[in-house]
Amino acid sequence: MIPVRRIVAACALGALGVALAACGSSGAPGTPKPAPPGPPTSASGSAVPSRPPTLAPGPSGLTPVFTNGPRARGRTVALTFDADMTADQGSRAAGGEHFDNPRLINTLRAFKVPATVFMTGRWADQYPAEARAIGRDPLFEVANHSYSHYAFTKDCYGLPTVAEDAMRADVEKAYAAFKRAGVPHPMPYFRFPGGCYDQQALRTLSAVGVTAVQWDVVSGDAFATDSDAVARQVLEGVKPGSVVVMHCTRSAAPATERALRTIVPELRKKGFRFVKVSDLIGATNQHR
């Protein structure tokens, strides 16, 4: 990543100058219904602690950055989905563009796959009922992807830039949006829009107390139409402890749901177990 550790993922993120949109949760007839509301649980079914696991601050108190879990503590993998919607895309939503993908969310439920959804506050404001349903489903956890989906560094795939003195407020505004929507337990994890950050951004967000979450496997699903290619890229990249970055949106990642129908059973055949990001961070802390 540039200038600290920006992951160059042009295949998945090069087009993020137009923010990708994300996960809905309303189901079509005949699809699995959401699990009853309740406290978040880990992949093992146990309740998530009141204080979710986070990484210790980095040097000089910088916001810590998490990329993947331990490689030698079982064959686990975390699928993550970015729920992107920029602050200025309301007109597109009003015009009928769908910033959700109910079929994908229901596929995860049907396969009983835990997942972490990195949601923008703007998306939660647009789809409060869907944000609430995802947040109350024990299968999922909601984490912070900023409010505006503007970049926290310059030259980040054409995204508008958040001013340095507005970065903390943008993250906190997203948490406020989750609260308005009724998301009960948003996690203290933050994903930088575009995956772009530098030391100044890490220093500025240190007061928020989040762990920045990146990834080590790029799905290549952004604007992809070939689900087989997306599945192949994930299956070839996953290692024990991997974090996979994906998107769930009807308009900008149309092949992802079909790809999941291949990815999930194939990884299970290989002995992988799906977990949430919180599980990987907790395992990382135990491994140290």
Side-chain angles (χ1 to χ4, degrees):
M1 300 163 198
I2 301 172
V4 177
R5 291 183 60 205
R6 180 186 303 175
I7 291 180
V8 178
C11 57
L13 295 170
L16 278 176
V18 178
L20 291 175
C23 320
S25 61
S26 56
T31 56
K33 294 182 179 180
T41 62
S42 68
S44 64
S46 59
V48 171
S50 58
R51 295 175 60 86
T54 55
L55 296 185
S60 303
L62 293 180
T63 297
V65 180
F66 179 76
T67 301
N68 59 269
R71 300 298 192 192
R73 289 180 61 87
R75 298 173 72 81
T76 56
V77 57
L79 300 184
T80 70
F81 296 87
D82 288 358
D84 302 344
M85 186 173 182
T86 62
D88 56 0
Q89 286 184 329
S91 60
R92 289 170 55 179
E97 184 169 352
H98 295 286
F99 295 96
D100 61 355
N101 194 334
R103 186 183 295 274
L104 186 148
I105 290 296
N106 280 293
T107 294
L108 291 171
R109 289 184 174 123
F111 279 122
K112 295 181 172 58
V113 175
T116 302
V117 178
F118 286 88
M119 189 180 293
T120 65
R122 179 63 184 87
W123 192 90
D125 278 344
Q126 184 71 35
Y127 303 107
E130 295 168 8
R132 181 167 58 253
I134 293 170
R136 291 184 176 182
D137 190 330
L139 199 60
F140 307 126
E141 61 188 10
V142 171
N144 197 314
H145 196 31
S146 80
Y147 181 85
S148 63
H149 201 262
Y150 290 173
F152 282 58
T153 66
K154 296 179 180 178
D155 302 321
C156 181
Y157 306 110
L159 289 173
T161 304
V162 177
E164 180 183 323
D165 61 1
M167 290 178 181
R168 176 178 176 179
D170 190 78
V171 176
E172 292 174 339
K173 187 177 180 181
Y175 280 121
F178 301 157
K179 183 176 181 179
R180 284 194 300 273
V183 175
H185 303 286
M187 305 300 281
Y189 309 141
F190 177 72
R191 175 165 285 166
F192 286 98
C196 306
Y197 66 91
D198 56 18
Q199 284 197 347
Q200 183 56 57
L202 295 178
R203 186 176 300 111
T204 300
L205 294 189
S206 62
V208 184
V210 294
T211 293
V213 176
Q214 297 288 94
W215 55 85
D216 67 320
V217 178
V218 174
S219 67
D221 67 339
F223 302 104
T225 56
D226 186 344
S227 61
D228 290 337
V230 173
R232 185 166 54 251
Q233 185 154 318
V234 172
L235 292 173
E236 290 176 353
V238 166
K239 301 176 183 178
S242 280
V243 176
V244 182
V245 60
M246 307 183 82
H247 304 83
C248 44
T249 171
R250 280 180 273 180
S251 61
T256 308
E257 189 272 338
R258 294 194 304 275
L260 279 178
R261 293 179 179 271
T262 299
I263 292 168
V264 172
E266 286 300 316
L267 285 177
R268 282 178 168 157
K269 285 180 184 178
K270 294 180 180 181
F272 279 94
R273 179 170 59 91
F274 295 97
V275 299
K276 304 171 188 176
V277 165
S278 58
D279 293 303
L280 288 186
I281 292 178
T284 299
N285 288 336
Q286 293 173 8
H287 189 64
R288 290 178 174 175

